[in-house]
Amino acid sequence: MKKLQEKIEYSFKNISFLEEALTHSSYANEQQGNVPYNERMEFLGDAVLSFVSAQYLYEKYPDMPEGRLSKLRSSLVCTQSLSSFAKEIDLGSCLRMGKGETASGGASRPSVLEDAFEALIAAIYLDGGIDEAKKFILRFLSREVENHHTNFKDYKSLLQEIIQQNPDERLSYAVVNTSGPDHDKRFEVELRLNSNIIGKGIGTSKKNAEQEAAKQALELMGVQI
């Protein structure tokens, strides 16, 4: 943890935040007693990342319309990008994981690295506040955005733009099933337009499953993607 703090250029006042961020659920499940793990921090970190990246792009590109801002943000904070950031600081080697997850190479799995990176953001935010979390996030985003090409297809944003043309319509995503062991989970998501199911998706993360559901809905609507 000392080496990690040197790499991220942040020293924790309360090291328990960092310990929790680095603890995978598979490790907690193998321990006797109540061991905190990083899924709740992942939730918080995702929200902090969303806010910081939105504010950064809003200020950096004052003339860019909302749709393009949304697509650019999604492509910058997708699984591929976040797992790449995690690898840059060797985050996988710092994770506490269960024996099965370790044996299956979980520490190098993109979805695991993405979650751990978001949990690390939350740990910094809880320990040092929004300014420290922002400094950490922008260390990666400000560099990435300069040479970034939005090759990532953000089906969710595209679908939302279409649906927003009718203000009475409402989209919602719901996880209806999870399957597989901790090191290879699958999430099944249903996409509803008001009360009607218009798409289903399966992925190794909730985000990926939601993108697949949105893609299916667009295809059913005959949208060129």
Side-chain angles (χ1 to χ4, degrees):
M1 287 193 292
K2 182 180 178 182
K3 288 183 178 180
L4 178 62
Q5 289 177 88
E6 291 174 356
K7 287 181 179 179
I8 66 175
E9 299 175 5
Y10 180 79
S11 296
F12 280 83
K13 297 180 285 291
N14 185 345
I15 201 67
S16 65
F17 288 131
L18 181 56
E19 290 174 347
E20 184 173 340
L22 298 176
T23 302
H24 190 263
S25 59
S26 61
Y27 178 87
N29 292 336
E30 288 184 1
Q31 305 305 305
Q32 294 182 348
N34 187 21
V35 178
Y37 54 93
N38 65 11
E39 287 185 1
R40 281 171 50 83
M41 279 193 164
E42 172 206 339
F43 166 79
L44 177 59
D46 179 66
V48 174
L49 175 62
S50 180
F51 167 71
V52 169
S53 58
Q55 182 186 34
Y56 174 70
L57 294 175
Y58 178 84
E59 294 173 351
K60 184 175 179 62
Y61 300 109
D63 298 321
M64 186 177 287
E66 182 273 337
R68 286 187 61 196
L69 285 171
S70 181
K71 289 178 182 177
L72 179 56
R73 182 181 62 175
S74 293
S75 63
L76 283 168
V77 299
C78 66
T79 300
Q80 181 180 351
S81 295
L82 297 186
S83 61
S84 176
F85 299 157
K87 289 177 182 176
E88 191 174 324
I89 58 175
D90 197 22
L91 188 57
S93 69
C94 303
L95 297 179
R96 297 196 297 178
M97 313 189 81
K99 294 177 181 177
E101 186 76 14
T102 301
S104 66
S108 61
R109 190 171 298 113
S111 60
V112 171
L113 291 174
E114 173 192 19
D115 293 346
F117 191 80
E118 290 177 336
L120 179 57
I121 290 172
I124 295 172
Y125 168 74
L126 291 170
D127 189 73
I130 189 63
D131 288 340
E132 290 294 342
K134 183 175 181 179
K135 186 195 305 183
F136 174 69
I137 292 168
L138 294 186
R139 170 181 160 188
F140 298 93
L141 284 193
S142 61
R143 177 200 67 206
E144 188 78 2
V145 74
E146 295 301 330
N147 301 313
H148 197 78
H149 300 287
T150 54
N151 293 327
F152 171 74
K153 296 202 175 197
D154 184 6
Y155 301 114
K156 285 182 65 178
S157 294
L158 176 57
L159 180 62
Q160 187 67 36
E161 287 178 17
I162 294 171
I163 299 302
Q164 280 177 343
Q165 295 174 16
N166 187 341
D168 295 328
E169 305 287 359
R170 292 290 180 272
L171 286 174
S172 61
Y173 296 83
V175 177
V176 294
N177 186 42
T178 58
S179 60
D182 284 339
H183 67 271
D184 193 22
K185 274 197 177 300
R186 291 291 184 273
F187 296 85
E188 183 178 348
V189 165
E190 282 184 354
L191 168 58
R192 293 178 181 268
L193 179 61
N194 300 323
S195 59
N196 300 313
I197 298 173
I198 61 170
K200 293 184 178 181
I202 297 176
T204 55
S205 71
K206 286 177 279 190
K207 291 178 182 178
N208 289 343
E210 289 174 354
Q211 287 288 345
E212 287 300 315
K215 179 182 179 182
Q216 185 182 99
L218 288 167
E219 290 172 345
L220 290 172
M221 294 165 65
V223 177
Q224 294 292 325
I225 55 178

